[in-house]
Every structure is written in C-alpha cells, then in structure tokens.
Amino acid sequence: MDLKTNILIKDLGTQDYKNVWDFQKNLQQKIIMGKQPDTLLLVEHEPVYTMGKNGNPDHVLQNRSINTKIYQVERGGDITFHGPGQLVGYPILDLHHYEKSISWYMRTLETMLIRTLGHFGIEGELKKGLTGVWVEDEKIAALGVRISRWVTMHGFALNVNTDLEYYQSIIPCGIFEYGVTSMQELTGEKVDMQLFKDTVKAEFRNFFCRIKS
C-alpha cells in the first residue's frame, strides 16, 4: 500500500472515549514512523466531557451530572461534550502529504463540514476569530487538534441528533455569548446517521485525497 495515496476510513460505531483516545495515540505514532497510512476514524461516544490543555475548569458548571466523566486531553480548545447522536471524526494525517500549516488544516476541516451540511439543506458558516462551524449564532461543529511531527490527532465533533441538554452543564468551548445547535434541532427531524457518515466520507476524500507529489 502506498502510504502517500491512500486514506483509510474506519467506522468504529459507538465506543468508550478513553479506548478511542488510546487508539488515536497509538495510531499517530505508527503514522509518524511511516508504518500506517493516513486514517480517518469516525465514532459516536458514550456521554463524556473533554477539556483541552488550556481549558478553564470554571467552564464546568455546578449542575453537571456526576455520572458524566471529564477527561483532560492534549488537544487545543476548552471544554466540550461528546455523546450519542454526535459524529466525531479523528483524522490522523501526516501533513507532509498536504500542507504543513495548522491554519490550512483547520480551515479545510471546517470547509469540508460546511460542504457536508449543505447536502442536508443546512447553511453552515465560519465566524471570524472563532474555531468551528456555525449556523448563524449557534455552533454545530467543534474542532480541536494536536499535532506532533506534523501528524494530527483529535479532530471534529458535529451535532447530528445530539441531546443538547448536556451542554447546559458547561460553557461550550468557553464561549459565553453564543449557543449550540444540532442538525435535528435545525431540521425538526432525526437525521439518518449512516447517510450523514457516508456524506462525510465522500467529502473528506474530496478534500484530502489531493496528495502532494
């Protein structure tokens, strides 16, 4: 297999956060050593909060359910939620194959998600000075990454049919002035998760299979 012209996409179904976090770290090391092709992991998690390396503990509110774990992780960004009905994508990519630019990578992920939402009649957009994908003043997708030797891990989380009540226990991404939404909230009906996954896969390949020679 040519490691520079193939991207593996693995659908992990629903998995415990810690297991997939460990899997990511192991996979990142393999890609750094050139032993594994670039890989996109797609997964839904059991309910969990994750706090970025520079996150503010004050953004966890007192009404948080004691049964929902919080993990301090090595990505950028503040606190966010992962849970059923949310599609999480972990691209483990060697940016030597694309552009050695964190800003390029983040904007490309955001644009890919905006294009994907468009297939479902939702107009996503960027908000100046803020990371993620927005629908007017509500965030629908959060992004946070870690890069080691230009190989990425962590990634994006897009609310498809997510229970938004979980966000009432945190200040998502440390942003006070804007809200959070989901595809189901915007369309008024449950979205076919498998169809959404298939659309993400196709658009991801459209954006990231243009390998540098």
Side-chain angles (χ1 to χ4, degrees), residues 4 70 91 170 190 193:
K4 293 186 177 181
I70 298 180
I170 61 172
K190 192 169 184 177
M193 180 62 86

Side-chain angles (χ1 to χ4, degrees), residues 78-113:
D78 208 290
I79 192 163
T80 194
F81 169 74
H82 298 310
Q86 180 191 74
L87 183 63
V88 181
Y90 297 124
I92 319 295
L93 308 179
D94 185 344
L95 293 185
H96 289 94
H97 302 161
Y98 311 91
E99 298 288 339
K100 290 198 299 180
S101 166
I102 297 172
S103 62
W104 172 87
Y105 176 60
M106 298 294 282
R107 301 296 84 76
T108 302
L109 283 180
E110 290 166 339
T111 304
M112 181 273 296
L113 293 173

Side-chain angles (χ1 to χ4, degrees), residues 127-141:
K127 192 172 284 290
K128 187 175 180 180
L130 295 174
T131 301
V133 176
W134 303 77
V135 179
E136 297 182 351
D137 285 338
E138 294 181 312
K139 180 178 273 192
I140 194 168

